Amino acid sequence: MGYNVAIDGPAGAGKSTIAKRVAKEKGFIYVDTGAMYRGMAIYFLEQKISPDEKEEIAKACQNAEVSIAYEDGEQQIYLNGKNVTALLRKEEVGKMASISSAIPEVRQKLLSLQRNLAKEKDVVMDGRDIGTNILPDADVKVYLTASSRTRANRRYLELREKNVDCNLDEIEREIIARDERDMNREIAPLKQAEDAILIDSSDLSIEEVTEKILELCK
């Protein structure tokens, strides 16, 4: 059995940054669920299925096996045994992943792939429903959050660094709206698992949050 760490929380709470750090410190695999959806999307594109052919996508996902490995500390995504990491960031792959991830059969297929990975290996997974749905028996569960203002501010600084013109109040409004959608959606809504430890990162540095989670893993 693998040792499993589940980190859930709203958009902009710093989940993936923290999850990657914890995985690196512990020598665990960071399960990038987004990258797995992209791996799946590559399969649909290879099969010449278009994003609006929902039934075809639902059928095809049964024949795709997506897995994660690390080589020289870098995450690699394999699709049916072939390394497809170099293709993940393509525009059409992102578009297909966004559409196909809403299809129940695709979510179900990835759910079983993610659970198998967690059975065999020590993993850190982050998302919206890891502790409640994907890994309900995780050894450590964390619900990582921060005030909407803090999360908006982090996003604002990220965008300013890329010289993107943006408005802090507008970003905060978008974040609040996204929380609302995530918490009220039918499939796998965002919520804190009953046995998850709440960490509010509003006034904590990345190092401090990482340290807190590493403490929980002892």
Side-chain angles (χ1 to χ4, degrees):
M1 280 297 283
Y3 190 94
N4 301 168
V5 181
I7 302 176
D8 289 308
K15 297 185 298 294
S16 55
T17 306
I18 300 293
K20 283 173 190 160
R21 287 199 166 210
V22 170
K24 199 169 184 173
E25 286 286 325
K26 300 288 293 176
F28 290 3
I29 285 185
Y30 165 63
V31 179
D32 183 339
T33 49
M36 290 182 84
Y37 276 108
R38 283 173 178 261
M40 213 29 119
I42 291 168
Y43 181 72
F44 303 140
L45 292 167
E46 282 177 354
Q47 299 301 307
K48 309 266 188 290
I49 301 170
S50 79
D52 48 15
E53 295 179 292
K54 304 258 193 303
E55 283 179 19
E56 291 304 309
I57 290 174
K59 269 206 285 262
C61 70
Q62 298 314 318
N63 305 318
E65 294 292 323
V66 179
S67 67
I68 295 181
Y70 276 80
E71 284 155 32
D72 303 324
E74 292 297 315
Q75 174 181 282
Q76 307 293 323
I77 296 285
Y78 283 84
L79 167 64
N80 293 338
K82 189 176 86 197
N83 191 329
V84 292
T85 313
L87 307 172
L88 293 181
R89 293 287 150 216
K90 286 186 163 181
E91 192 62 42
E92 68 268 33
V93 172
K95 192 178 166 203
M96 176 61 102
S98 175
I99 292 167
S100 58
S101 66
I103 296 171
E105 288 84 353
V106 175
R107 295 190 77 88
Q108 202 49 49
K109 173 71 181 179
L110 268 165
L111 178 68
S112 65
L113 291 172
Q114 287 156 7
R115 283 182 178 155
N116 287 343
L117 201 57
K119 259 198 202 97
E120 291 163 14
K121 302 201 159 71
D122 299 329
V123 303
V124 181
M125 236 184 255
D126 72 292
R128 301 281 187 278
D129 66 329
I130 310 298
T132 51
N133 181 39
I134 297 179
L135 302 177
D137 302 323
D139 300 275
V140 171
K141 291 185 193 178
V142 170
Y143 189 82
L144 182 65
T145 189
S147 69
S148 57
R149 195 63 177 182
T150 301
R151 290 184 281 137
N153 201 34
R154 287 174 186 165
R155 184 79 187 122
Y156 175 77
L157 294 173
E158 260 173 36
L159 292 168
R160 292 300 305 164
E161 253 176 43
K162 294 176 185 162
N163 294 323
V164 177
D165 198 31
C166 53
N167 174 299
L168 182 59
D169 292 332
E170 209 169 280
I171 295 172
E172 186 175 15
R173 276 196 296 277
E174 278 169 17
I175 279 184
I176 291 168
R178 185 166 174 184
D179 287 351
E180 191 64 23
R181 281 199 304 276
D182 284 347
M183 286 170 175
N184 293 302
R185 66 180 185 199
E186 261 174 59
I187 297 183
L190 165 69
K191 68 167 189 279
Q192 182 180 343
E194 284 175 10
D195 51 351
I197 307 286
L198 177 73
I199 297 180
D200 187 324
S201 71
S202 302
D203 302 315
L204 299 172
S205 67
I206 290 172
E207 287 74 21
E208 288 169 324
V209 177
T210 306
E211 205 41 58
K212 271 180 182 287
I213 296 175
L214 289 171
E215 278 295 312
L216 295 170
C217 292
K218 283 177 179 164

